Amino acid sequence: MSDPRTEELAQRLATVRGELDAAVARAGRAPGDVELLVVTKFFPAADVARLIELGEREFGESREPEASRKIAELGELVDSRGAVFDMIGSVQTKKAKTVARWARSVHSVDRDKLVDQLATAAQAALHEQLRTEPLGVFCQVSLDGDPTRGGVIEAELPELAQRVVAAPSLRLEGLMVIAPTHGEVREWMATTARIREGFLREYPDATALSAGMSGDMTIAVEYGSTCVRVGTAIMGSRPILSQ
Ligand SMILES: *Cc1c(COP(=O)(O)O)cnc(C)c1O
C-alpha cells in the first residue's frame, strides 16, 4: 500500500467484497457466482492501476472516449494483468466502432440499430485482431418503461435478443437492469427475476444478469444477479480530476 489513495481503495474494496460475499452466502449461492465490476468512470487511469495492483481485474466504464483514453493510458498493464473492461453506459450509435475495440461486453444494448452497429464493429475488430472473442451483449430491460433511462420494455425483448443471436460477432450474455429510483428496489428485482425466467427458457445459455449498484447490490444478489456494477462504494463520490 504505497499511497493514501491506494489504502482508501483497498479499505472500501474489502468492505464491498465482504458485503457481497455475505449476500452470496445468505442467498445460498456459490462463492464466485457474482462478479464485481468496479465502475471507474470519472476516475483517472491511475486509480484503475491501483485497483489492478490490489488484484481487481474487471472494470466498468460508461463513457466514450473517456474509456478509450484511459485504457490507452494504462497501456501494457491491461494485457499483462488480464484486466477487462465492460461498457455499462448508454452507447451512441456512432461510438459503436471504438467501443467494440476495447469492451469485453456492452451491458446497455437496447435497440436494433445499436445491435447492428456493434455487430459490424465487432466483426471489424475481430478481423483486425483488435479483439479475439465475440463482443458480449447484455440486453438492457427497462423495468418501468421510462425511455430516458434506457432499456427495452419486456415486450420488445424477444426481437432484440434474436437480433443479437443472429450476429456471429456478438454473444448474448443475458440481461441488464437499472432499478428505477422510485418504488421498491425489492419489487423491481422481483420483476427482473420474473422476466429473466421467461428469457432463460428461450435462451438457456444467456445466464448472466447484470443488476445491482452501490445502493442495491445485496438485494440484486438475492434475486439472481451474476454481476454487480459498483462505483461510489469503492471509488468514493467525488470524481478526482487529477492525481
Ligand atoms: C455509474 C454506474 C453504476 C455505478 O453506480 P454506483 O451507484 O456509483 O455504484 C452502475 N451502473 C451504471 C449503468 C452506471 O452508469
Side-chain angles (χ1 to χ4, degrees), residues 1-3 5-6 9-10 13 38 40 43-57 59 61 70-71 73-78 80-81 83 85 235 243:
M1 309 295 142
S2 43
D3 66 299
R5 176 62 173 159
T6 304
L9 290 173
L13 197 53
V38 185
T40 46
F43 290 87
D47 274 353
V48 182
R50 289 181 175 101
L51 289 159
I52 290 174
E53 290 305 329
L54 291 169
E56 293 306 303
R57 292 294 179 267
F59 301 97
E61 284 286 336
K70 209 178 286 182
I71 294 163
E73 199 180 319
L74 288 164
E76 262 296 273
L77 195 60
V78 172
S80 66
R81 304 297 181 84
F85 294 83
M235 308 305 293
Q243 68 272 342

Side-chain angles (χ1 to χ4, degrees), residues 39 41 62 88 176 178 213-214 229-232:
V39 178
K41 68 179 180 212
S62 75
I88 63 170
M176 184 274 227
I178 300 173
M213 323 200 321
S214 294
R229 311 175 305 267
V230 180
T232 316

Side-chain angles (χ1 to χ4, degrees), residues 6-196:
T6 304
E7 300 244 11
E8 179 180 55
L9 290 173
Q11 256 170 35
R12 292 214 200 93
L13 197 53
T15 303
V16 167
R17 284 230 173 257
E19 287 170 8
L20 194 56
D21 289 349
V24 169
R26 270 199 310 276
R29 301 177 57 190
D33 223 26
V34 182
E35 177 175 285
L36 170 63
L37 210 58
V38 185
V39 178
T40 46
K41 68 179 180 212
F42 302 132
F43 290 87
D47 274 353
V48 182
R50 289 181 175 101
L51 289 159
I52 290 174
E53 290 305 329
L54 291 169
E56 293 306 303
R57 292 294 179 267
E58 288 91 22
F59 301 97
E61 284 286 336
S62 75
R63 303 188 315 171
E64 183 64 4
E66 176 189 330
S68 283
R69 287 207 201 104
K70 209 178 286 182
I71 294 163
E73 199 180 319
L74 288 164
E76 262 296 273
L77 195 60
V78 172
D79 287 339
S80 66
R81 304 297 181 84
V84 293
F85 294 83
D86 281 2
M87 177 59 164
I88 63 170
S90 66
V91 185
Q92 289 172 278
T93 316
K94 64 180 182 195
K95 302 279 176 66
K97 191 171 169 188
T98 50
V99 169
R101 291 178 178 157
W102 59 261
R104 174 184 59 169
S105 294
V106 179
H107 290 227
S108 42
V109 175
D110 61 357
R111 56 196 192 278
D112 288 352
K113 180 119 188 277
L114 181 58
V115 173
D116 296 348
Q117 296 286 335
L118 287 173
T120 305
Q123 188 59 53
L126 285 163
H127 183 73
E128 293 161 40
Q129 293 177 350
L130 295 169
R131 64 180 307 119
T132 55
E133 300 280 331
L135 178 65
V137 166
F138 291 72
C139 293
Q140 185 182 346
V141 180
S142 170
L143 296 170
D144 64 355
D146 176 357
T148 62
R149 296 173 64 87
V152 290
I153 56 170
E154 189 183 358
E156 290 168 355
L157 180 59
E159 199 185 320
L160 186 72
Q162 204 46 51
R163 212 172 179 93
V164 176
V165 168
S169 60
L170 304 179
R171 182 177 52 229
L172 182 65
E173 300 286 353
L175 302 179
M176 184 274 227
V177 296
I178 300 173
T181 48
H182 59 91
E184 284 289 320
V185 171
R186 206 166 269 289
E187 279 169 33
W188 294 124
M189 292 301 171
T191 301
T192 302
R194 178 187 57 71
I195 295 171
R196 184 183 183 212

